[in-house]
Amino acid sequence: MTGHQPSTPVVCSFSNPEELIESLAHFILKAQKESIQKKGRFTVAVSGGSLPEQLNGLIGKDGVKWDKWQVFYADERIVPLDHEDSNHALCTTQLWSKVPIPQENIHTIDPALIDAASVEPASDAEDALEEIADAYEQELIREFANKDSARFPIFDLILLGVGPDGHTCSLFPGHPLLSEDDRWVAYITDSPKPPPRRLTLTFPVLNHASRVAFVASGAGKVDTLHTVLDKPEEGLPASRVRPISPGQVYWFVDDAAAAKIEYPKTPFKL
Ligand SMILES: O=C1O[C@H](COP(=O)(O)O)[C@@H](O)[C@H](O)[C@H]1O
């Protein structure tokens, strides 16, 4: 049965956020190198929230082949791409505007569909939301299906954050979307964290990736990490990210966030 087993998390804890950021940058560079050697490109999904700032270690770093990156969003909010709530806007401010990545390598939701998907009430926007999710799935299919011919896309790297309630991407505790096993991209209209309308990659996509790296830092995440890593039986969304072998899930955390974790930590090495 090897090849179809869920991986067990590898947890690396760093004494401070700076060390975490530098080590994460080296980890990403290694993943980039292996991916480009194998396939000539590096497919990455990026989250919003606190994650983009943790990618600062890549800015100005030698060896980053930005022209080989193909970037998608792990989740996105249904707001204009320059809106303060947009994950694309956040990533642009924190990272893309500071590095030489070609614009066409960053795959956003279709801006032409955002107005129709934003009408009130949400029930009148369902068709447009379906369309915007379908369009993003098609964007993924164009990138992956012809090249990798797999049932689900196999991202080289998915970079995730975890919210205080254990959500990741826009997969929230107790939401029916946690059972989605077919779609690559889905929409929600009832996110408990604003804004309510969002697109998200689904669990099958997360769990087919070659590598998923969660990043969490600061004492504010301490109880969440304890539950997610030590009590997976509670089924919080972040606990359910277990890419099938040979895929692997990593946790990059700092000691403040990891203070209550009983789960064994692994020394970081490349
Ligand atoms: O709403 C979101 O929240 C999560 C977690 O955010 P964080 O600020 O607690 O790191 C984030 O990963 C996701 O992309 C975002 O849309």
Side-chain angles (χ1 to χ4, degrees):
M1 283 295 287
T2 48
H4 294 92
Q5 301 298 317
S7 54
T8 50
V10 172
V11 179
C12 300
S13 188
F14 302 90
S15 49
N16 56 63
E18 294 72 31
E19 221 182 282
L20 187 167
I21 286 173
E22 188 59 18
S23 303
L24 178 66
H26 284 285
F27 170 82
I28 294 172
L29 270 176
K30 185 173 179 229
Q32 175 207 256
K33 191 173 170 200
E34 287 172 8
S35 306
I36 295 174
Q37 265 167 8
K38 265 198 215 153
K39 296 184 289 186
R41 74 199 207 282
F42 185 41
T43 52
V44 184
V46 182
S47 299
S50 56
L51 187 276
E53 200 179 352
Q54 320 266 16
L55 302 179
N56 278 347
L58 293 170
I59 299 170
K61 177 81 82 238
D62 282 347
V64 188
K65 310 273 186 222
W66 292 109
D67 59 324
K68 304 287 187 206
W69 285 47
Q70 293 295 334
V71 177
F72 291 80
Y73 289 103
D75 71 321
E76 182 55 292
R77 289 90 176 272
I78 307 295
V79 291
L81 294 177
D82 59 357
H83 190 280
E84 60 179 353
D85 285 337
S86 158
N87 285 343
H88 173 66
L90 180 66
C91 288
T92 301
T93 305
Q94 299 279 359
L95 186 61
W96 311 138
S97 62
K98 300 176 182 171
V99 298
I101 185 164
Q103 276 305 307
E104 63 272 22
N105 292 18
I106 302 171
H107 302 269
T108 65
I109 59 172
D110 185 346
L113 301 173
I114 294 171
D115 280 354
S118 306
V119 297
E120 295 293 350
S123 53
D124 288 354
E126 297 272 345
D127 288 350
L129 285 160
E130 191 67 56
E131 196 180 347
I132 202 166
D134 280 351
Y136 206 56
E137 190 163 298
Q138 287 303 320
E139 186 83 4
L140 281 163
I141 288 171
R142 277 190 290 280
E143 179 59 39
F144 287 93
N146 294 336
K147 294 164 185 147
D148 300 331
S149 62
R151 169 71 184 87
F152 292 101
I154 301 175
F155 272 98
D156 297 314
L157 175 63
I158 300 182
L159 291 160
L160 296 179
V162 56
D165 57 355
H167 84 268
T168 191
C169 295
S170 287
L171 298 162
F172 288 90
H175 197 280
L177 202 53
L178 303 191
S179 314
E180 175 62 53
D181 59 4
D182 183 38
R183 299 284 312 262
W184 295 13
V185 179
Y187 72 87
I188 60 170
T189 56
D190 55 357
S191 163
K193 176 180 174 183
R197 295 182 201 183
R198 293 156 172 249
L199 291 193
T200 184
L201 299 182
T202 59
F203 277 121
V205 174
L206 303 182
N207 286 333
H208 279 79
S210 296
R211 304 166 194 80
V212 174
F214 279 95
V215 186
S217 96
K221 296 274 159 89
V222 79
D223 290 317
T224 309
L225 291 199
H226 173 50
T227 309
V228 166
L229 287 162
D230 294 330
K231 301 176 184 173
E233 67 282 2
E234 293 197 7
L236 287 181
S239 302
R240 301 187 191 200
V241 180
R242 304 270 305 273
I244 52 172
S245 176
Q248 183 66 61
V249 57
Y250 301 87
W251 283 80
F252 284 79
V253 300
D254 63 10
D255 289 349
K260 287 192 183 169
I261 298 176
E262 286 156 27
Y263 190 91
K265 294 172 193 128
T266 304
F268 177 70
K269 58 175 185 310
L270 284 170

